[in-house]
Amino acid sequence: MASTYVKSITGLLAASALLMGATGATAADRVKIEWWYAISGKLGDTVQQLISDFNKSQDKYEVVGTFKGNYEETLAAMVAAYRVSQQPAILQSAERGFMTMLNSGAIIPVDQLMAKQGYKTDWNDFIKPVAGFYIVNGKPAALPFNSSTPILWYNADAFKAAGFDAPSDTWQGLEKQLYALKEKKVTDCSMALPGDFQWSLIENYSAINNYPFATKANGYAGLDTEFVYNKTGVVGQVARLKKWVDDGVLKIAGQGVAPISLFTSGTCATIINSTASHSGVEADAKFKWSAAVMPHEAGADVRNGTIGGASLWAVKGKSEEVQAGVAAFFNFVAQPDTQEWWSKATGYVPVTNAAYQKMKAEGYFKDHPTREIAIEQLSRGEPTDNSRGFRFGNHNQSTAILIEEIQAVWTGKKTPQEALDSSVKRGNEILRQYEKLHAGK
Amino acid sequence: MPANNAIMTKNEGAVKRPGLPLRRSLSSLVGTSEAGLKASHFRRPWLAAGLLAPQLLILLFFFFIPTWKALSLAFVQVDPFGGTMIFVGLENFTTLFSSPEYRDSAILTLWFTVVQCIATLVIAGLLAFATDNVMRGRAIYKGVILLPYAIAPAISGVLWAFLFNPTVGPLAQMLHELGLAWDPNRRPFDALLLVSVAAIWKHVCYDYIFLVAAFLAVPASVMEAAAIDGARPVRRFLTVTLPMAAPTIFFLIVMNFVYGLFETFGIIDTVTRGGPAGSTNTLVYKVYQDGFRQLDLGSSAAQSVILMAIAVLFTFLQFRAVERKVNYQV
């Protein structure tokens, strides 16, 4: 018995060794570059297309892209892998994980990598809001890859039926329109609540209306930042959303249903969602749709929105050969041609001025006006400390707390003020914990 | 003595066969019973150790090392990537115990586990009782009941989430037409109910198959005697079958608790993600949320240590009770 097991095990080992040898032989001369990314569906297909384009473009490196779940799951996978030295060479990480990655000690700043490998990248060419987020002390930490911002999507047919040309540019005006849509029974629901509402309806809302979200320039000026959004217009915003939810104007999609599908199916007339929804909406919406910049408070000092999406990080602990491959891939991604193709295929913002100007010169935005809305929103007004972006340690954690507390408003357990007070208090504990761990950084 | 004899005969048989070195040597290695020792033992301890090794290795890698890791992480605050680590003593635990969210989660878990345990057992008991009285199509009946067990928790979770989604779910629409304000996104009780029903539905078949087996094991003679005494099926079930199945029922209660505490994770993740406002965030789901989604490894480790203590307590209770109280011999 025992010997049979031993035999079959050795057999298996031999077979797998042979198999590995065989596959190794066919692609032996190519250096494998592992890339973990976090976008799926139609956008995921486009990522695979990007990878195969790169692999075809040269014969030295082979990028192997693996989808690792959503942003949080991908970061968790990275953490687990890094602790046992099985990390990928490239990681796509969301803007929310920026500080975690930046101070992790697990990354090579992208400018160092590119300079060392002999690439000259023009870091000044990145469009302002993108550069403003990823550039730390004059140098980029990660390569901006897929950048987005939330915009207001609307069902043009439904708006016309209700007697409106376009959504109002203020929240007050939009409120009237949404209630009118409901009263005239044009659509079942007026607005769908996005899954990442804390990003679009709280953080971006705060930036656009020029409210401080936290002290120390929203964390840009130091780790000793503290949340203050419980003392600004955000309280009124949450109260408004609560009223809309209660009145059936704003629908929560819930588990198992993508909020954007409530819009594309025609169930809800509007949704404030990422500009990266373009590829999906273009494919699925069977009605006349359009988009607009996010509304602002009447009489507000209107500023730019902030970027979301993710960037590419070069991960430490890989051979020189692999690092050269990472740099080659980054260089490929940063090319204006690649940027233009990527932006057109997905709806993400073209991250460099070169790509943006190229698309503009071609007249692309004349044919696809909604594609330019994101850029328009990102470059509204001169950026202030309140609108540059958010740099918080453990931002995923404080975000989860914010969502949980606002859910307590939906359920009626807390008033908007109580929920935000508690969210700020718990969030500040997270910030202090991070500050303690990263003192001196 | 009898058990020992059996082993010896087997070994003598093996000696006659050449070419099997392992078996031949066994007879010389396995000693006979001696005073103060168990019926049989190995003369050379390394063989016993060798035979135990696979199990010990599995325990080492899947139990002892993770336990050690959890324990060592529970007393520190740590950067997810392991760059910085600060020893904080019991702070992770004190923070947990003073946090209203953790307390809510503990109370919720208790409620959920108890309700789930009782409901699963009662439903499975009724179905098993019915099986005894189903004459035709018993195989189909059993098959239908056992089906949910073959479906992965995540898949069944998605199914439940969709069917009862207040905006698009067909069953939710039916509830709305009945005049019920069903909305698991906004009404914590609805969310808890949905998770509980999904968890019960998934686990009934487990209890069911054990109960069917336990009920079948009741000797026909005892049942016949009861019948002759004039007890009707329901009375026979309550006064004869149930008491005789008590060890199984006790085992199932423990298993249901373990299921409710630890294994409903997949269902919660797909049906509610712990929401709304943490109203379905059970202790084990919180460990995952805090540790894997939010990368607060210290707090997550402290929580798993607490859960581990609960699991140990359960095991202890089970062994004591099974060995002393609930034991019926026929």
Side-chain angles (χ1 to χ4, degrees):
Chain A
M1 268 290 272
S3 60
T4 347
Y5 276 135
V6 171
K7 258 184 203 159
S8 55
I9 287 169
T10 32
L12 261 173
L13 283 176
S16 54
L18 265 175
L19 219 97
M20 280 162 79
T23 48
T26 52
D29 24 339
R30 282 193 166 215
V31 179
K32 287 229 182 356
I33 315 290
E34 234 188 307
W35 174 24
W36 289 0
Y37 63 85
I39 41 188
S40 57
K42 287 196 178 66
L43 296 172
D45 297 341
T46 317
V47 168
Q48 283 299 335
Q49 181 67 43
L50 174 77
I51 292 171
S52 91
D53 283 354
F54 171 75
N55 289 341
K56 270 185 226 148
S57 74
Q58 44 73 54
D59 52 11
K60 229 173 141 187
Y61 308 107
E62 186 185 354
V63 170
V64 183
T66 315
F67 171 65
K68 281 279 172 181
N70 63 27
Y71 286 130
E72 286 166 358
E73 286 157 1
T74 306
L75 188 59
M78 164 72 191
V79 164
Y82 185 79
R83 286 173 152 247
V84 290
S85 299
Q86 298 288 321
Q87 70 271 29
I90 307 173
L91 184 81
Q92 181 192 26
S93 170
E95 105 285 347
R96 216 159 282 278
F98 184 78
M99 292 296 273
T100 304
M101 289 300 289
L102 182 70
N103 294 327
S104 66
I107 55 114
I108 309 169
V110 67
D111 69 307
Q112 276 178 29
L113 174 85
M114 298 308 269
K116 199 170 145 211
Q117 301 295 337
Y119 291 94
K120 282 208 174 65
T121 315
D122 181 8
W123 302 114
N124 295 319
D125 190 41
F126 285 98
I127 65 166
K128 224 195 226 164
V130 173
F133 189 77
Y134 291 106
I135 293 182
V136 183
N137 301 330
K139 295 204 170 124
L143 182 75
F145 175 59
N146 55 320
S147 290
S148 57
T149 201
I151 57 175
L152 171 62
W153 301 81
Y154 65 97
N155 182 329
D157 288 341
F159 266 66
K160 209 169 160 199
F164 306 117
D165 294 332
S168 164
D169 58 356
T170 64
W171 284 96
Q172 287 73 13
L174 184 68
E175 178 162 43
K176 289 202 183 88
Q177 290 176 331
L178 295 180
Y179 275 83
L181 279 163
K182 184 176 161 62
E183 272 149 30
K184 292 179 184 164
K185 294 199 165 60
V186 179
T187 45
D188 290 347
C189 120
S190 306
M191 186 182 250
L193 185 78
D196 50 6
F197 68 89
Q198 84 290 342
W199 173 57
S200 47
L201 300 179
I202 307 295
E203 290 173 357
N204 262 281
Y205 168 86
S206 226
I208 289 172
N209 289 293
N210 203 11
Y211 301 135
F213 198 79
T215 59
K216 298 271 168 181
N218 287 346
Y220 272 59
L223 294 182
D224 51 344
T225 168
E226 278 181 13
F227 291 119
V228 294
Y229 55 79
N230 60 335
K231 294 176 193 127
T232 70
V234 168
V235 183
Q237 168 79 342
V238 173
R240 169 161 47 219
L241 296 175
K242 158 77 171 161
K243 176 168 165 262
W244 290 5
V245 168
D246 286 349
D247 294 344
V249 168
L250 182 64
K251 275 261 161 72
I252 304 171
Q255 277 295 98
V257 178
I260 189 72
S261 69
L262 291 181
F263 173 71
T264 52
S265 65
T267 309
C268 293
T270 58
I271 184 171
I272 292 180
N273 215 47
S274 167
T275 180
S277 310
H278 263 107
S279 57
V281 172
E282 280 163 3
D284 300 339
K286 302 281 176 274
F287 48 84
K288 207 166 157 274
W289 58 268
S290 190
V293 290
M294 269 182 74
H296 54 81
E297 294 291 339
D301 172 18
V302 184
R303 298 291 161 160
N304 61 295
T306 66
I307 61 155
S311 55
L312 300 183
W313 295 85
V315 181
K316 246 189 199 162
K318 293 283 161 184
S319 69
E320 200 61 28
E321 220 179 6
V322 171
Q323 284 186 23
V326 172
F329 181 63
F330 280 9
N331 186 51
F332 176 80
V333 170
Q335 294 303 318
D337 286 346
T338 318
Q339 281 296 323
E340 185 194 350
W341 168 82
W342 168 255
S343 175
K344 281 181 183 172
T346 57
Y348 282 112
V349 179
V351 288
T352 57
N353 283 311
Y356 175 48
Q357 295 306 335
K358 202 157 169 260
M359 287 165 83
K360 209 169 180 173
E362 279 170 15
Y364 180 77
F365 296 121
K366 283 211 180 72
D367 303 333
H368 304 85
T370 56
R371 295 296 188 108
E372 208 177 6
I373 290 167
I375 303 237
E376 192 189 319
Q377 179 164 303
L378 285 171
S379 45
R380 245 190 321 188
E382 197 55 34
T384 65
D385 281 355
N386 300 330
S387 73
R388 206 170 297 135
F390 306 95
R391 278 201 193 145
F392 303 127
N394 292 337
H395 199 175
N396 276 328
Q397 239 174 302
S398 45
T399 297
I401 288 170
L402 176 63
I403 294 173
E404 191 183 298
E405 292 289 348
I406 292 184
Q407 282 179 347
V409 176
W410 303 158
T411 63
K413 237 160 76 181
K414 289 180 184 172
T415 67
Q417 187 68 58
E418 283 167 1
L420 291 174
D421 285 349
S422 155
S423 168
V424 161
K425 187 175 158 275
R426 291 170 66 192
N428 283 337
E429 283 163 16
I430 304 288
L431 290 178
R432 294 296 71 79
Q433 194 181 329
Y434 188 84
E435 191 189 358
K436 193 165 118 192
L437 267 174
H438 296 273
K441 276 187 190 160
Chain B
M1 267 315 271
N4 194 29
N5 274 347
I7 288 174
M8 288 309 290
T9 348
K10 254 190 210 158
N11 290 335
E12 279 157 11
V15 175
K16 285 170 196 158
R17 248 183 277 166
L20 283 170
L22 187 65
R23 285 205 185 172
R24 197 170 47 221
S25 58
L26 266 180
S27 63
S28 60
L29 293 170
V30 180
T32 49
S33 139
E34 286 169 33
L37 285 173
K38 291 256 177 183
S40 71
H41 71 281
F42 291 106
R43 275 202 190 125
R44 298 191 188 163
W46 57 261
L47 183 69
L51 291 172
L52 283 172
Q55 175 72 20
L56 287 175
L57 274 179
I58 289 173
L59 275 176
L60 178 73
F61 281 108
F62 294 99
F63 186 73
F64 290 113
I65 293 179
T67 306
W68 167 247
K69 285 265 176 199
L71 272 172
S72 62
L73 272 177
F75 300 98
V76 295
Q77 266 173 21
V78 60
D79 175 72
F81 288 89
T84 353
M85 198 181 269
I86 300 175
F87 182 79
V88 293
L90 289 171
E91 196 184 307
N92 286 329
F93 291 95
T94 51
T95 314
L96 275 181
F97 291 129
S98 66
S99 133
E101 289 78 29
Y102 193 71
R103 228 166 22 233
D104 287 353
S105 177
I107 294 167
L108 157 82
T109 308
L110 187 70
W111 188 95
F112 170 74
T113 312
V114 169
V115 166
Q116 178 271 133
C117 174
I118 295 170
T120 309
L121 209 55
V122 169
I123 295 171
L126 287 175
L127 290 172
F129 170 68
T131 308
D132 266 356
N133 297 290
V134 171
M135 289 303 150
R136 271 187 224 166
R138 190 182 279 191
I140 297 170
Y141 177 82
K142 282 186 188 167
V144 168
I145 295 173
L146 290 176
L147 260 183
Y149 208 66
I151 303 172
I155 307 279
S156 64
V158 170
L159 218 76
W160 283 93
F162 177 77
L163 287 175
F164 285 95
N165 183 298
T167 318
V168 295
L171 291 179
Q173 302 298 340
M174 275 171 57
L175 291 175
H176 289 164
E177 272 158 31
L178 291 173
L180 295 167
W182 171 263
D183 189 351
N185 296 327
R186 295 181 52 211
R187 294 157 52 103
F189 182 75
D190 292 3
L192 193 50
L193 192 66
L194 185 56
V195 170
S196 307
V197 170
I200 292 165
W201 174 79
K202 187 83 185 64
H203 205 57
V204 155
C205 21
Y206 181 88
D207 285 17
Y208 169 78
I209 198 133
F210 274 93
L211 286 176
V212 167
F215 293 171
L216 276 178
V218 175
S221 55
V222 182
M223 292 301 270
E224 271 165 23
I228 290 165
D229 285 347
R232 303 184 62 86
V234 174
R235 196 185 160 90
R236 287 203 299 269
F237 177 74
L238 291 177
T239 55
V240 181
T241 315
L242 270 191
M244 296 195 86
T248 307
I249 292 171
F250 182 77
F251 163 76
L252 286 176
I253 288 175
V254 174
M255 289 313 283
N256 286 358
F257 260 89
V258 170
Y259 169 78
L261 276 176
F262 301 104
E263 289 167 40
T264 43
F265 163 84
I267 286 174
I268 292 173
D269 191 44
T270 44
V271 177
T272 59
R273 292 221 152 189
S279 54
T280 53
N281 202 357
T282 58
L283 289 175
V284 70
Y285 192 66
K286 206 167 151 50
V287 170
Y288 163 74
Q289 285 267 37
D290 292 354
F292 291 90
R293 292 172 63 93
Q294 303 178 26
L295 299 175
D296 187 354
L297 301 182
S299 172
S300 181
Q303 292 176 39
S304 27
V305 167
I306 296 172
L307 277 180
M308 206 147 57
I310 297 175
V312 168
L313 182 77
F314 263 107
T315 319
F316 178 73
L317 279 180
Q318 184 187 13
F319 277 110
R320 278 185 69 105
V322 164
E323 283 184 1
R324 292 193 184 167
K325 301 253 166 64
V326 198
N327 202 357
Y328 286 79
Q329 295 280 329
V330 182

